[in-house]
Amino acid sequence: MATRREDLLDAAITVLGERGIHALTHRAVDTTAGLPAGSTSNHFRTRDALLDAVVVRFAARERAAWEDLARRASPTTPQELAQVLAAAAKEATGTLRTLTLARYAILVEAGLHPSLRAQLSATGSGVNAWFLQWLRLAGSTDPERDAPIIMNHYTGLVLHDLAIPDPAFDPAGQITALVTTVIRPRSVEVPP
């Protein structure tokens, strides 16, 4: 069961994902959470304190989504990895749309507030570790090189569909072409 603090932070994520960073106020969070005025400011005295806590809560929710995906999938080929990423992209722009929009709002804000950058880096390290492991399992011989190429493209595909929603959004073709091109097959040693 969520605590009052978590309810407030989830409401803040909803405000971010539905109305953007400029709409994030204590009053907007109180209203979205259905709580009396002043509830948010009792927990987070300043907007910066609220935003810092939102980053931590957002990262926990996103990490939980990735953990759920990791429990359901363990890609062992580039094609399987591409299928998992395509499904994740559809989920990010569908059922997790508000959370994903909040992430992009936070990323833009991090460009202006270095303290958020440090928090995002720290909280994203777990997702990065899983993705590097997936790349290794899928056959990547250089996961540190391959990860940013694939994930930056993935991020762009998701951002584009969030900005200009396409009811027929299907990133599978692009992601498959990219992943199967980037992940170089392991060389097979031929015995002499």
Side-chain angles (χ1 to χ4, degrees):
M1 178 171 215
T3 66
R4 169 74 54 102
R5 186 175 196 280
E6 289 169 335
D7 288 341
L8 288 167
L9 293 173
D10 289 340
I13 289 168
T14 299
V15 170
L16 278 171
E18 292 179 354
R19 295 186 278 168
I21 194 76
H22 295 295
L24 184 65
T25 64
H26 288 85
R27 183 178 307 230
V29 174
D30 290 341
T31 300
T32 301
L35 294 171
S39 297
T40 302
S41 64
N42 284 337
H43 288 271
F44 313 101
R45 299 308 274 164
T46 66
R47 186 173 188 275
D48 285 344
L50 174 61
L51 192 54
D52 287 344
V54 165
V55 170
V56 173
R57 177 67 175 163
F58 154 80
R61 285 183 55 189
E62 191 167 70
R63 188 173 48 250
W66 274 98
E67 286 173 355
D68 180 54
L69 183 60
R71 277 191 294 278
R72 292 182 281 141
S74 184
T76 59
T77 67
Q79 292 79 8
E80 288 176 2
L81 178 60
Q83 288 172 351
V84 169
L85 290 174
K90 287 188 70 104
E91 195 171 280
T93 59
T95 58
L96 296 177
R97 180 179 176 79
T98 300
L99 181 65
T100 307
L101 282 165
R103 173 166 42 107
Y104 284 97
I106 291 168
L107 287 171
V108 170
E109 195 67 14
L112 305 171
H113 294 90
S115 66
L116 293 178
R117 277 183 235 150
Q119 274 191 307
L120 287 171
S121 292
T123 57
S125 63
V127 172
N128 293 340
W130 288 319
F131 190 64
L132 288 170
Q133 182 60 26
W134 276 359
L135 285 170
R136 287 181 194 95
L137 290 171
S140 173
T141 57
D142 193 352
E144 285 76 16
R145 177 194 74 100
D146 298 345
I149 295 168
I150 294 169
M151 287 312 292
N152 287 338
H153 185 80
Y154 169 91
T155 299
L157 281 173
V158 169
L159 176 60
H160 188 270
D161 194 66
L162 290 170
I164 307 167
D166 178 358
F169 177 60
D170 184 4
Q174 281 190 49
I175 291 175
T176 299
L178 178 68
V179 170
T180 57
T181 300
V182 170
I183 296 180
R184 298 180 184 134
R186 292 183 180 106
S187 59
V188 178
E189 296 284 326
V190 179

